[in-house]
Amino acid sequence: SQQGEEDPQALSIQEGENATMNCSYKTSINNLQWYRQNSGRGLVHLILIRSNEREKHSGRLRVTLDTSKKSSSLLITASRAADTASYFCATGRETSGSRLTFGEGTQLTVNP
Amino acid sequence: GAVVSQHPSRVICKSGTSVKIECRSLDFQATTMFWYRQFPKQSLMLMATSNEGSKATYEQGVEKDKFLINHASLTLSTLTVTSAHPEDSSFYICSAFPQPWGEAFFGQGTRLTVV
């Protein structure tokens, strides 16, 4: 079952704007990861943040984690048309080994 | 970086036939692999955990006799959809972890269409 909820479900912005996606989860976690999926393709790992971390950066990506609120956000700055994709958060729990539980995803469209 | 290769990428089969999908870890050993199913515009739904040398662990509601999983080596897991029906048409994806508690690497996915 999906424990993560993401909002918004869909987001449409113009090139150059920033995109923010949010993810909430229900149980305690070991880590939270963000993935990207282009239509009809497999998932590509973007960034992993551990439960004892609050913020992480990778290029134009910034991820925050608030374990007290059981939520995370992914910020993509200076978006490009090539960023158009579905974005999923996934949580890894201590009791589940390496198994990931995925959120519902956000469909991001960046218009040129 | 680590690579997970999934084959075939697309398959069309007739109702009642079986289809095998392969998932290989190319540059690391994976004692565990995961199989997901994804419907259009939806998230990934975990079907089963494939364990090398032992039986797979299936999620609730997934028919183990319909979705046969074999993990015969540390680099290969296979998912066989038996007696396929049109409702089995979907996108199937596998994943594996080179390191525990690290990032997962995904195969390219297999688009199965049952006609």
Side-chain angles (χ1 to χ4, degrees):
Chain A
S1 62
Q2 303 296 332
Q3 78 152 339
E5 294 181 359
E6 292 178 64
D7 75 271
Q9 290 187 339
L11 179 62
S12 182
I13 60 174
Q14 297 299 122
E15 257 189 335
E17 295 180 341
N18 295 341
T20 299
M21 289 160 267
N22 302 297
C23 167
S24 62
Y25 57 92
K26 297 175 183 174
T27 63
S28 61
I29 62 171
N30 172 281
N31 65 75
L32 187 143
Q33 306 184 34
W34 285 89
Y35 289 84
R36 164 195 167 126
Q37 183 182 34
N38 287 86
S39 181
R41 301 290 188 94
L43 276 71
V44 174
H45 181 265
L46 296 176
I47 200 163
L48 180 154
I49 186 165
R50 300 205 180 274
S51 59
N52 60 352
E53 298 175 309
R54 292 296 167 259
E55 187 171 311
K56 239 180 161 177
H57 297 256
S58 177
R60 294 184 295 115
L61 306 180
R62 172 177 168 250
V63 167
T64 62
L65 177 65
D66 187 335
T67 52
S68 66
K69 295 181 180 178
K70 291 187 168 58
S71 67
S72 173
S73 68
L74 170 66
L75 168 67
I76 303 174
T77 60
S79 64
R80 305 166 183 168
D83 294 328
T84 296
S86 292
Y87 292 81
F88 294 94
C89 69
T91 52
R93 292 184 282 169
E94 295 281 358
T95 56
S96 301
S98 294
R99 169 180 161 175
L100 292 176
T101 302
F102 282 84
E104 297 301 320
T106 294
Q107 172 61 50
L108 173 66
T109 302
V110 182
N111 301 300
Chain B
V3 176
V4 173
S5 178
Q6 187 173 339
H7 179 81
S9 58
R10 288 179 180 272
V11 58
I12 300 173
C13 71
K14 293 184 178 180
S15 286
T17 61
S18 295
V19 173
K20 181 184 285 188
I21 303 170
E22 293 187 348
C23 181
R24 293 179 184 274
S25 55
L26 297 187
D27 50 2
F28 66 97
Q29 294 182 334
T31 56
T32 303
M33 291 185 177
F34 299 88
W35 287 96
Y36 295 86
R37 183 173 181 174
Q38 185 180 34
F39 291 105
K41 299 190 185 302
Q42 293 189 26
S43 187
L44 279 71
M45 181 184 74
L46 180 65
M47 298 175 65
T49 303
S50 174
N51 304 300
E52 188 269 334
S54 65
K55 291 182 180 180
T57 306
Y58 290 82
E59 295 299 302
Q60 190 172 6
V62 177
E63 300 175 60
K64 59 180 68 176
D65 293 332
K66 175 138 192 83
F67 299 100
L68 299 180
I69 290 173
N70 184 278
H71 196 148
S73 79
L74 287 170
T75 59
L76 174 64
S77 174
T78 60
L79 168 68
T80 301
V81 182
T82 63
S83 187
H85 291 284
E87 56 265 32
D88 298 324
S89 298
S90 191
F91 192 60
Y92 295 87
I93 316 176
C94 67
S95 76
F97 289 81
Q99 300 290 339
W101 301 114
E103 63 184 274
F105 286 85
F106 286 80
Q108 304 93 318
T110 298
R111 172 73 58 194
L112 171 64
T113 303
V114 185
V115 298

